[in-house]
Amino acid sequence: GQYGAPPPIDINNPMIQMAATSGAQFFDNGAAALQSNVQQYVSMGLLRHYFSVDNSYVLGKLKVLLMPFTHKTWVRVKDVSSNGQGHAAPRNDVNAPDLYIPLMAFVTYIVVFGLHQGWTKNFKPEDLGNSASSGLAIILLEVLLLKLGFYLLDGPKVSFIDFVCYSGYKYVGIVLTSLCYVFIGRTAHYLMLALTGVAMSFFMFKTLATSLILSHRTSSSPTEGSKTQEYFVVAIAAMQLPVSWVMGI
């Protein structure tokens, strides 16, 4: 993150107007383009599962992401229509991963980044693409690390998209942190960064621990690998705050 004092906001600044226009176009086109590209590799039925959300789920999930310490049950709900072999859709289980919230948060992050560049009179349209590329690279690296860790630690099979959802949730906190910096100032920014970073770390710890450690203990007797699994989960959780700081504006 780059942390100077935010300049006064002048909505008549042509750089802000350019950033706002480019950001709006990116917001309108980004989600459709990303979904179109994803459809080349993922079936529509599977995508519908991850976008099967409603207002109740979105509000509940945001509460879990921002106040995970108050959440009590982390085990995912089984899908009764699949004889318990699969998991319930997000709208029926607040613990289910979804793509709607990460996608909206990620696109909003890029738009806020562009507006901030406009306010500092450094905006160039290609900044939006560069910001998107770096953000996607962070998600991809974290997902590959999760897949590798689960494979080496004999964890349960978790889909690539599940990990993309979990990694993408951090952009909810990054957006809030960035907005605090732009509209309020540095002190509020650091406070929000600490709150959302710790919340995301706790969320990832509980989610991964439930998936990796708990499922391993219920399927077999504890082994020496259990300690390694615990270290892995703690390491991934600890990454969330510094990654959120790096990706901040």
Side-chain angles (χ1 to χ4, degrees):
Q2 300 173 356
Y3 305 122
I9 297 175
D10 178 12
I11 61 174
N12 295 318
N13 185 334
M15 295 298 290
I16 293 181
Q17 295 175 358
M18 181 189 300
T21 300
S22 299
Q25 293 174 346
F26 189 94
F27 192 91
D28 290 338
N29 299 331
L34 184 59
Q35 185 170 349
S36 175
N37 289 328
V38 170
Q39 288 175 8
Q40 299 179 24
Y41 307 99
V42 182
S43 69
M44 280 301 299
L46 187 58
L47 277 181
R48 277 194 291 267
H49 172 87
Y50 285 99
F51 283 96
S52 177
V53 302
D54 55 20
N55 291 336
S56 177
Y57 169 82
V58 172
L59 292 175
K61 192 68 169 191
L62 290 176
K63 180 181 178 182
V64 172
L65 292 172
L66 298 174
M67 296 184 292
F69 315 103
T70 64
H71 192 55
K72 302 302 180 184
T73 303
W74 293 86
V75 177
R76 293 180 61 182
V77 175
K78 295 291 184 179
D79 183 8
V80 294
S81 64
S82 63
N83 297 321
Q85 298 302 310
H87 291 102
R91 66 189 306 139
N92 298 320
D93 177 18
V94 73
N95 291 320
D98 74 283
L99 281 172
Y100 177 80
I101 292 176
L103 180 60
M104 291 298 102
F106 183 72
V107 174
T108 303
Y109 158 73
I110 297 168
V111 172
V112 172
F113 176 85
L115 289 174
H116 174 258
Q117 293 296 94
W119 285 326
T120 57
K121 300 182 180 182
N122 294 319
F123 177 76
K124 298 184 291 293
E126 58 267 26
D127 289 341
L128 298 180
N130 294 335
S131 177
S133 298
S134 61
L136 289 174
I138 289 293
I139 292 177
L140 180 60
L141 288 173
E142 186 173 17
V143 169
L144 292 177
L145 179 60
L146 286 167
K147 289 292 287 185
L148 179 62
F150 269 57
Y151 173 76
L152 295 178
L153 297 174
D154 194 28
K157 290 184 178 180
V158 178
S159 76
F160 185 88
I161 301 180
D162 281 5
F163 284 141
V164 170
C165 298
Y166 295 141
S167 179
Y169 284 137
K170 67 171 58 64
Y171 283 96
V172 172
I174 293 174
V175 166
L176 293 176
T177 299
S178 300
L179 289 173
C180 281
Y181 173 70
V182 169
F183 289 106
I184 303 178
R186 183 183 301 179
T187 301
H189 163 266
Y190 282 129
L191 179 60
M192 184 60 71
L193 174 64
L195 292 175
T196 57
V198 170
M200 188 61 198
S201 294
F202 188 82
F203 170 82
M204 286 294 281
F205 174 81
K206 296 295 289 187
T207 299
L208 296 181
T210 301
S211 178
L212 180 62
I213 300 174
L214 183 61
S215 63
H216 186 269
R217 288 176 177 174
T218 55
S219 62
S220 62
S221 58
T223 64
E224 293 182 358
S226 297
K227 277 293 182 185
T228 306
Q229 292 176 341
E230 292 173 2
Y231 293 145
F232 173 75
V233 169
V234 170
I236 294 294
M239 284 172 46
Q240 303 308 308
L241 180 57
V243 169
S244 296
W245 178 79
V246 170
M247 294 307 299
I249 61 176

